[in-house]
Amino acid sequence: MRRVFIGFAMKNKQSTKETALKGYARHDEGDSRYLHSTGRVKTDVFGVAVFLTLGFAFVELIGGLWGNSLALVSDAWHMITDSLSLFLALLANWIATKGADSDHSFGHARVEALAAFINALAMLGVVVWIFVQAAIRLTDPPQVQGGVVMGIASVGLLMNLAVIGSLSRDKKNMNTRAALLHVAGDLMGSVAAIVAGGLVYFAGPRFSVADPILSVFVGLLLLRATYSIFKESVPVLLDAVPEGVDYNAVGDALAQIPGVKEVHDLHVWMMAPGHSAISAHLHTDAEENWDAMLALARRTLSERFGIDHITLQPERRQKRSPNR
């Protein structure tokens, strides 16, 4: 009986904590529209993409080793990293939809940026491997089975088109749009492998050098995608000022609000991809209407800089008497 009572008390305490958290974290009228969670992607859309991409990546990898084609192996690694990217995006999205809790008052949206950063590191390692292997094969091009490479790459092209069709059903989500760009890179890799296999098959073994050359093209596609992922994820992880926002211009805009005498302790950062925040101290005169100033500041920051998660602290200063 005592255990039941203790269990009930702990459960009741936890429920009270969660209720208090919801009260503390709620947004009133005029506050940010961002609720510290992301929209859930369509699981079936990502599931189909992961299954098709990862499954055929191993087919390409085996076929590339069998056909002695670096272009096909490179495209296989490209597809493996992209399938892992899709899986991490799906997992991160599931976590990011949880919203704020007592341990994460800003929610879990940054998990998506962290997952993207980890994936980019893996992609960078693959790029280095592709370039090293291409350099070795350029000095001594091995014999490539053009027919095998061309056939497998052609099936891969059709598979990528199927994945693009699946992801296109959920284009409103940012993760899905990013995934579409990755799969488009896979599609170009398949085209490169088809060209490499076709040249060897129709023009003869002397064109085997086309295989490492086109694998470098696939590596460059991967490098471009890696750079774009780093560019999006690293600023979020470092609390950087949002791209396109001028920090000094934000301070100047706040300083020009009537009644504001000075702006200091100004911070502008990205809470999550697509969501920015600001905090600052504003020196004002004691008789100024803070509510009107705050409303103008919110409108200015939202319209000019796209910032809607706003925390401004007034520091009132009494005017000195002329006799003092």
Side-chain angles (χ1 to χ4, degrees), residues 34-41 43 46 86-101 103-116 118 173 175 272-273:
Y34 175 53
L35 300 179
H36 305 292
S37 63
T38 60
R40 187 177 292 277
V41 299
T43 305
F46 266 63
L86 290 170
F87 176 74
L88 286 174
L90 181 60
L91 179 62
N93 178 257
W94 178 77
I95 297 174
T97 55
K98 294 174 61 177
D101 58 30
D103 295 320
H104 307 87
S105 62
F106 275 108
H108 300 75
R110 284 196 178 185
V111 173
E112 295 181 318
L114 180 61
I118 294 172
N173 186 276
N175 286 316

Side-chain angles (χ1 to χ4, degrees), residues 67-151:
N68 205 18
S69 169
L70 181 60
L72 201 57
V73 172
S74 300
D75 190 47
W77 280 114
H78 192 179
M79 294 179 70
I80 288 173
T81 56
D82 280 355
S83 62
L84 291 177
S85 173
L86 290 170
F87 176 74
L88 286 174
L90 181 60
L91 179 62
N93 178 257
W94 178 77
I95 297 174
T97 55
K98 294 174 61 177
D101 58 30
S102 57
D103 295 320
H104 307 87
S105 62
F106 275 108
H108 300 75
R110 284 196 178 185
V111 173
E112 295 181 318
L114 180 61
F117 179 78
I118 294 172
N119 181 64
L121 289 177
M123 292 173 66
L124 191 59
V126 172
V127 169
V128 172
W129 181 86
I130 290 173
F131 287 164
V132 170
Q133 292 298 314
I136 295 174
R137 290 190 173 216
L138 282 172
T139 57
D140 185 20
Q143 186 175 355
V144 177
Q145 297 186 38
V148 173
V149 174
M150 187 170 56

